[in-house]
Amino acid sequence: MNIVETAVENGSFKTLVAAVTAAELVETLIGDGPFTVFAPLDTAFEKLPEGTVESLILPENKAQLQGILTYHVIAGKVMSGDLSDGMVATTVNGAEVTIHLTDGKVFVNDAEVVNADIKTDNGVIHVINKVIMPA
């Protein structure tokens, strides 16, 4: 299964899948890749201010939504064992994220990786507990 199929099958990424669909990024994420996706759980989207998700999935906000979602994707397959403290990675949207290793936990910016190394046919998913936003 590819990244999108894996996310759908999991069942904890309904908001992410809806956002990827609204942003017209499904074709990209089912492509050859490989991609590394930092995938926010549905509960991560619930932490955003009320109305944020509903606003972002409107057609007129597609570019902004694409920017946020591609900030969660790195070209290439990066497994958790490849990560190091202070590592900086350029996302598909062109902005950078910083990896932090603290007390045996992995963070992408300030989002904790709660489940790592979910392998897919075209990359890997690392589940995070917060939506990360580009600066």
Side-chain angles (χ1 to χ4, degrees):
M1 290 190 300
N2 62 46
I3 289 170
V4 175
E5 291 167 335
T6 302
V8 169
E9 179 79 15
N10 179 285
S12 298
F13 302 104
K14 290 179 180 74
T15 307
L16 177 61
V17 171
V20 166
T21 302
E24 298 180 2
L25 291 173
V26 171
E27 289 300 313
T28 301
L29 291 176
I30 65 172
D32 291 340
F35 301 106
T36 298
V37 176
F38 297 105
L41 291 162
D42 288 337
T43 53
F45 283 98
E46 292 168 8
K47 294 176 186 175
L48 294 173
E50 188 173 334
T52 300
V53 173
E54 294 79 7
S55 174
L56 286 171
I57 62 174
L58 294 172
E60 60 266 27
N61 296 326
K62 183 171 80 173
Q64 182 183 6
L65 180 60
Q66 286 174 335
I68 292 167
L69 293 173
T70 56
Y71 188 61
H72 290 76
V73 181
I74 297 172
K77 187 175 183 179
V78 182
M79 303 302 286
S80 62
D82 301 326
L83 302 174
S84 59
D85 191 40
M87 176 181 169
V88 175
T90 302
T91 66
V92 171
N93 96 349
E96 295 178 336
V97 292
T98 303
I99 306 300
H100 304 283
L101 306 179
T102 307
D103 298 327
K105 297 178 181 178
V106 177
F107 293 85
V108 181
N109 292 349
D110 60 348
E112 183 181 351
V113 175
V114 294
N115 190 0
D117 298 336
I118 300 171
K119 296 177 184 170
T120 70
D121 293 339
N122 63 340
V124 62
I125 297 172
H126 302 296
V127 181
I128 57 176
N129 67 351
K130 184 176 182 183
V131 177
I132 55 176
M133 296 290 195

